[in-house]
Amino acid sequence: MTDTQNHEDATMSKTLYERIGGEAAVNAAVDIFYRKVLSDPRINRFFDNVDMEKQAAKQKAFLTMAFGGPHSYTGEDMRKGHAHLLKMGLDDSHFDAVVENLGATLQELSVPQELIAEVVAICETTRNDVLGR
Amino acid sequence: MYKLTIEEKVYACQADETVLDALLRGNVNISYACKKGTCHSCLVRSLDAVPPEAAQAGLKDTLKKRNHFLACLCHPEQDMAIKLPDQSEFYTEGTVVVNEMLNRNTLLLAVAFKDAFEFNAGQFVNLQRADGLTRSYSIANIPQESNTLEFHIRRLPGGKFSGWLHDEIRVGDSIAVSEPRGHCFYLPERHGQGILLVGTGTGLAPLAGILTDALAHGHSGPIYLFHGSREFEDLYRIDELCQLAQRHQNFHYIPCLSGKHVPAGFSHGRADEVALASLPDLKAWRVFLCGHPDMVKQMKKMAFLKGASMKDIYADAFLATPV
């Protein structure tokens, strides 16, 4: 199990999570991001039957992880959490759409491009677990 | 080390332990899942101490106010008396003082108590018949000096409890009432904020309480109430709400009918659809939704997409218990 990775940039003394703005950044991003996801016709059917409040809490945990913050997601959690979506046809295109929405959210919040690239790189490390490969 | 008390039992919470870990070690049957504050499965309530701030991270303001907290995130700072969500409830006997019809199928029931009954307008209680049959109903008024609670009781086809209330209970009878529950209520803050209330059927009950509470606190932002049903005969309190709208410039009442026959002065369509068409931008609004579960679910999503923040959307979908 590849668990919490240390995303600290060797050349910087601060972690990505600190540079991006920590919990405040997560709070600023969560509503914008979730709104984009729910409005995206490519992926919103996966969210039709979820409890919105529970889902919002999960989105927060996801963003914290993607921003390199403290989390305890394991690859196994990722697999279990998305298994039912695979049955609904979840594939790479949907994963890409979520990452795209996250990137657009961060752009909207004027996060520098190089930090967005780091966030996207963290998301990429979960792709195979999310897609059950 | 701090003491955690649940009913009569005391559990020790060690310095490095969370409340959840201490209770699990004590074999307390408490629901939990993620142990990191995400899933909210271990939401409990403190009956005395104000919980540490960190243990309330991410909770709605109304839950925080009532000292709810997440056991998995709580490192106690003092002794605490804790209430688990599934713990048996405390009932108080009240006396029926009003029992009259609001429309062809909705009963207004007012129950008086000897002592003060503390609650926030918009919360719900469980009503219990002597044989133990229990149903949840929203409180429709704000705390009164007379210590009375009002309920709007719709007669459900074949409904055992609503049938009993409609057909048998009389003024002077006593009825058992639980402690108030739920987090769908008004907090007197951000007075200039827009408030949207959308309800169907007796979903008006909690909204009427919230509305009265907001006006009583001098809420100055716009307040819109959309109350819907299929037919005119199933709406109620129309005149009272119209008069209230005349007295308060910032309050707007829009009765909605989704059926064919729509008299002048009523909007045609479902309450949620009419509301969304009338208020295109809900950014920074507070939204309260009560009524049909499908309406609540759909409207929750739409209010969020129209800009309302998730933490400002309140709903207690009351579920009709199958007969």
Side-chain angles (χ1 to χ4, degrees):
Chain A
M1 246 186 285
T2 55
D3 196 350
T4 325
Q5 291 157 333
N6 188 357
H7 297 292
E8 198 165 329
D9 191 316
T11 60
M12 311 272 269
S13 58
K14 283 185 168 179
T15 63
L16 170 62
Y17 190 61
E18 285 168 332
R19 281 178 285 140
I20 211 164
E23 201 187 336
V26 173
N27 289 335
V30 66
D31 274 8
I32 302 174
F33 170 63
Y34 191 27
R35 218 169 262 136
K36 284 191 193 297
V37 166
L38 286 180
S39 315
D40 188 336
R42 294 174 295 176
I43 47 178
N44 56 9
R45 69 187 174 95
F46 294 108
F47 297 90
D48 271 354
N49 288 309
V50 302
D51 176 299
M52 285 203 43
E53 267 157 41
K54 284 195 182 139
Q55 188 60 30
K58 284 184 193 162
Q59 299 288 4
K60 243 174 128 165
F62 163 66
L63 291 180
T64 304
M65 181 209 70
F67 293 180
H71 72 94
S72 51
Y73 274 133
T74 62
E76 199 54 34
D77 288 338
M78 287 287 173
R79 286 172 183 272
K80 269 196 215 149
H82 294 91
H84 65 292
L85 300 177
L86 291 177
K87 289 184 199 137
M88 291 170 68
L90 188 76
D91 64 24
D92 280 300
S93 71
H94 306 119
F95 188 93
D96 292 341
V98 170
V99 175
E100 186 188 310
N101 282 308
L102 179 53
T105 301
L106 296 178
Q107 268 173 8
E108 211 171 300
L109 292 169
S110 305
V111 172
Q113 205 56 47
E114 63 269 22
L115 294 190
I116 298 179
E118 287 188 52
V119 169
V120 169
I122 293 177
C123 290
E124 278 303 328
T125 65
T126 68
R127 182 187 290 263
N128 285 338
D129 283 325
V130 167
L131 297 177
R133 295 192 290 232
Chain B
M1 191 206 81
Y2 294 109
K3 280 187 281 187
L4 307 174
T5 312
I6 298 179
E7 291 179 320
E8 306 294 295
K9 292 210 177 110
V10 179
Y11 305 87
C13 190
Q14 305 298 338
D16 57 346
E17 263 185 328
T18 64
V19 168
L20 179 62
D21 287 332
L23 296 182
L24 291 175
R25 194 167 47 77
N27 290 319
V28 174
N29 185 14
I30 174 173
S31 69
Y32 71 98
C34 76
K35 283 189 149 189
K36 54 183 185 251
T38 304
C39 70
H40 292 192
S41 299
C42 65
L43 184 72
V44 296
R45 188 174 163 220
S46 165
L47 296 175
D48 46 13
V50 175
E53 205 182 314
Q56 295 187 309
L59 295 185
K60 276 195 176 346
D61 291 346
T62 49
L63 285 172
K64 287 182 186 169
K65 191 191 169 207
R66 294 185 56 77
N67 288 342
H68 286 274
F69 66 97
L70 298 170
C72 70
L73 296 183
C74 185
H75 291 277
E77 292 162 353
Q78 55 195 302
D79 292 349
M80 297 176 99
I82 294 170
K83 191 171 185 307
L84 304 182
D86 50 355
Q87 217 170 303
S88 60
E89 284 190 291
F90 183 70
Y91 280 82
T92 312
E93 287 289 318
T95 307
V96 175
V97 290
V98 177
N99 176 359
E100 63 189 39
M101 295 304 281
L102 289 164
N103 65 22
R104 63 182 174 182
N105 58 22
T106 307
L107 174 76
L108 170 67
L109 189 75
V111 178
F113 297 85
K114 221 163 66 199
D115 300 310
F117 194 103
E118 267 183 52
F119 67 97
N120 289 98
Q123 287 194 290
F124 66 92
V125 294
N126 288 331
L127 302 183
Q128 195 172 67
R129 198 164 75 177
D131 64 358
L133 191 67
T134 306
R135 293 288 184 269
S136 302
Y137 286 98
S138 294
I139 303 169
N141 58 341
I142 59 173
Q144 310 276 324
E145 270 179 42
S146 56
N147 297 331
T148 52
L149 300 188
E150 286 181 22
F151 305 99
H152 301 166
I153 317 278
R154 184 181 167 87
R155 184 198 283 273
L156 297 171
K160 278 187 210 157
F161 202 88
S162 62
W164 170 63
L165 290 175
H166 273 256
D167 298 333
E168 292 178 42
I169 205 160
R170 300 275 175 267
V171 168
D173 287 353
S174 68
I175 185 167
V177 181
S178 77
E179 292 161 11
R181 294 177 159 210
H183 59 264
C184 181
F185 58 81
Y186 176 79
L187 280 179
E189 55 185 31
R190 294 179 287 169
H191 282 104
Q193 189 180 25
I195 293 184
L196 169 61
L197 309 158
V198 184
T200 55
T202 48
L204 178 64
L207 300 182
I210 290 164
L211 168 68
T212 313
D213 207 18
L215 291 174
H217 277 99
H219 194 91
S220 57
I223 305 174
Y224 281 83
L225 167 62
F226 295 84
H227 183 212
S229 73
R230 230 159 77 82
E231 292 168 4
F232 168 76
E233 289 80 2
D234 293 319
L235 289 179
Y236 56 93
R237 299 236 147 136
I238 299 168
D239 292 343
E240 280 172 68
L241 288 164
C242 285
Q243 285 161 17
L244 199 61
Q246 280 170 5
R247 284 205 302 278
H248 296 270
Q249 272 200 338
N250 62 328
F251 171 54
H252 309 274
Y253 167 59
I254 302 96
C256 307
L257 297 167
S258 60
K260 275 190 195 141
H261 180 62
V262 183
F266 292 80
S267 291
H268 185 210
R270 293 174 184 272
D272 51 332
E273 292 164 0
V274 176
L276 288 168
S278 319
L279 302 169
D281 185 1
L282 293 174
K283 195 165 191 281
W285 281 59
R286 224 186 301 186
V287 180
F288 294 91
L289 308 169
C290 291
H292 196 286
D294 290 342
M295 183 284 285
V296 169
K297 194 179 146 196
Q298 177 65 12
M299 188 62 200
K300 229 185 211 180
K301 186 159 146 183
M302 291 312 295
F304 176 67
L305 290 177
K306 294 259 186 180
S309 166
M310 187 67 76
K311 67 176 175 45
D312 279 333
I313 303 174
Y314 295 92
D316 274 337
F318 65 89
L319 303 166
T321 312
V323 185

